[in-house]
């Protein structure tokens, strides 16, 4: 059997072998970060020495600062090339700017420069009557919009997603950014163009990289974890107050089993204890064979009947 038939094409084989070589450091065990991502998978990046098994993205700020100090020492001794150091510093500067934008979206700066595609984006916005001048947006919103244009109009051609960004997402971002501070009214041509020239990434960075993730469809994210056990509220359900619907159901359950549960309710010290007793009885009657509901109801019965 030809071993190459296990791959769909040469690009598939190349990416497979490159990933294997990156994650296999001698022996049979693969050394990867392993942090769970938003897609429900596990991070396959290589861990850094200071991260206790995590990569630079998931290691935390203290490990990231120690990693930078080691890179700086490697630059002094020649183990780290100037190109590698400059790429790492550019990424750190972009991350610092992104964190600063969370507090002040009107802080000047940019992390992407569309170059020749900037005029194409502005013409598209003007033709759709969405925005007259992108320079009137907060720098954080303008930078976010440029990244979306690169994803859906340069790296891909996804008109539906681009339309959704302009109609649904952009107004929400503009509203969240708020009005410009004093002295920033009107287009700020010089500041934005200077920030764009100092941006970190351009569309040409990955033009020759056919394996770029931006050319692939967006992965499906796993639904967020919601705490609770079926009661429709966040937090521990046995300690949460009952709404009108649940309270009416518990009162009906009390009227049906008043002879059994009435004496135990009289021994309860607080309203929270009475509510917990009725909820335990409801769960037990709903499924008497469920171990947790059965154990909770029996423990309450033994406690209240012995007092």
């Amino acid at each position: 059997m030809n071993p190459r038939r296990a791959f769909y094409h040469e690009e598939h084989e190349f990416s497979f072998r490159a990933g294997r070589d990156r994650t296999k450091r001698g022996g049979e065990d693969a050394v990867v970060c392993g942090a769970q991502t938003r897609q429900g998978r596990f991070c396959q990046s290589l861990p850094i020495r200071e991260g206790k098994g995590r990569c630079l993205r998931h290691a935390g700020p203290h490990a990231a600062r120690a990693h930078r100090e080691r890179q700086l020492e490697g630059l002094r001794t020649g183990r780290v090339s100037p190109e590698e150091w400059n790429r790492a510093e550019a990424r750190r500067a972009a991350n610092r700017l992104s964190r600063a934008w969370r507090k002040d979206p009107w802080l000047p700066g940019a992390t992407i420069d569309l170059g020749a595609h900037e005029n194409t984006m502005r013409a598209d916005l003007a033709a759709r009557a969405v925005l007259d001048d992108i320079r009137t947006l907060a720098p954080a919103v303008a930078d976010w919009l440029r990244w979306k244009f690169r994803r859906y109009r340069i790296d891909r051609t996804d008109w539906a997603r681009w339309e959704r960004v302009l109609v649904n997402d952009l107004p929400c971002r503009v509203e969240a950014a708020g009005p410009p501070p004093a002295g920033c009214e009107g287009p700020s041509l010089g500041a934005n163009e200077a920030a764009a020239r100092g941006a970190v990434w351009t569309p040409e960075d990955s033009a020759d990289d056919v394996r770029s993730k931006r050319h692939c469809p967006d992965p499906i994210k796993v639904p967020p974890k919601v705490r609770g056990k079926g009661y429709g509220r966040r937090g521990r359900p046995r300690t949460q107050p009952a709404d009108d619907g649940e309270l009416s159901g518990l009162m009906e359950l009390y009227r049906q089993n008043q002879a059994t549960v009435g004496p135990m309710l009289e021994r309860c010290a607080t309203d929270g204890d009475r509510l917990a007793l009725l909820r335990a009885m409801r769960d037990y009657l709903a499924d008497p064979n469920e171990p947790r509901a059965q154990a909770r109801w029996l423990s309450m019965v033994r406690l209240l009947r012995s007092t």
Side-chain angles (χ1 to χ4, degrees):
M1 178 180 177
N2 186 0
R4 295 181 60 86
R5 295 191 62 182
F7 304 99
Y8 294 106
H9 42 72
E10 294 183 357
E11 189 64 32
H12 184 202
E13 182 182 4
F14 174 81
S15 60
F16 173 80
R17 299 189 184 282
R20 182 191 61 184
D21 295 339
R22 287 182 63 243
T23 58
K24 201 167 186 179
R25 293 182 175 179
E28 296 296 332
D29 297 329
V31 182
V32 295
C33 171
Q36 190 170 7
T37 63
R38 295 180 181 178
Q39 289 78 34
R41 304 170 185 171
F42 297 98
C43 178
Q44 298 297 312
S45 301
L46 289 176
I48 60 176
R49 184 183 304 174
E50 302 81 6
K52 296 182 179 179
R54 297 301 187 188
C55 67
L56 184 60
R57 179 185 294 271
H58 299 108
H62 299 289
R65 283 192 289 268
H67 180 71
R68 182 184 183 277
E69 292 297 328
R70 186 164 62 87
Q71 280 188 324
L72 184 60
E73 183 63 27
L75 180 65
R76 296 192 187 102
T77 58
R79 290 184 292 103
V80 176
S81 64
E83 293 78 10
E84 182 181 354
W85 169 258
N86 291 334
R87 286 195 302 268
E89 281 293 286
R91 184 176 292 276
R92 281 189 280 263
N95 292 337
R96 285 194 297 268
L97 182 59
S98 298
R99 289 192 296 269
W101 274 338
R102 299 174 187 176
K103 299 180 179 179
D104 183 11
W106 290 92
L107 187 68
T111 62
I112 182 174
D113 180 12
L114 294 179
H117 300 281
E118 179 76 18
N119 295 330
T120 305
M121 184 186 69
R122 295 187 182 185
D124 184 73
L125 295 176
R128 296 169 181 266
V130 174
L131 190 66
D132 295 333
D133 194 346
I134 192 175
R135 296 170 297 176
T136 59
L137 295 176
V141 180
D143 190 79
W144 166 83
L145 188 61
R146 289 187 175 98
W147 277 108
K148 292 297 181 181
F149 185 81
R150 170 178 174 173
R151 177 179 290 271
Y152 299 126
R153 296 292 292 111
I154 299 177
D155 293 341
R156 315 178 198 170
T157 303
D158 194 337
W159 289 99
R161 294 296 298 269
W162 176 240
E163 187 73 21
R164 195 182 312 166
V165 166
L166 298 180
V167 176
N168 300 334
D169 301 339
L170 181 59
C172 297
R173 294 265 178 169
V174 173
E175 183 180 0
C184 294
E185 293 80 4
S188 54
L189 178 62
N192 281 334
E193 286 194 349
R197 284 197 297 269
V200 178
W201 286 281
T202 61
E204 289 74 19
D205 289 342
S206 61
D208 299 330
D209 187 6
V210 296
R211 295 174 295 279
S212 175
K213 294 181 180 179
R214 295 188 173 274
H215 296 274
C216 304
D218 292 336
I220 300 177
K221 297 181 180 180
V222 296
K225 295 182 179 179
V226 178
R227 295 179 59 195
K229 300 174 183 176
Y231 299 104
R233 297 181 308 278
R234 296 180 64 85
R236 297 181 62 186
R238 284 173 284 168
T239 60
Q240 295 291 329
D243 53 18
D244 296 337
E246 184 184 8
L247 191 58
S248 61
L250 293 177
M251 293 307 298
E252 179 64 26
L253 186 66
Y254 166 73
R255 286 190 290 268
Q256 295 174 1
N257 303 273
Q258 185 175 3
T260 303
V261 78
M264 291 189 291
L265 286 175
E266 295 177 357
R267 295 185 177 93
C268 293
T270 63
D271 293 338
D273 294 338
R274 299 184 184 95
L275 190 60
L277 175 63
L278 293 176
R279 284 172 172 168
M281 182 177 63
R282 177 194 58 188
D283 297 341
Y284 173 71
L285 294 178
D287 188 3
N289 296 323
E290 205 279 320
R292 298 181 62 181
Q294 186 182 36
R296 190 180 304 120
W297 169 246
L298 292 178
S299 64
M300 287 190 173
V301 170
R302 285 192 297 265
L303 176 64
L304 294 175
R305 286 188 175 180
S306 62
T307 56

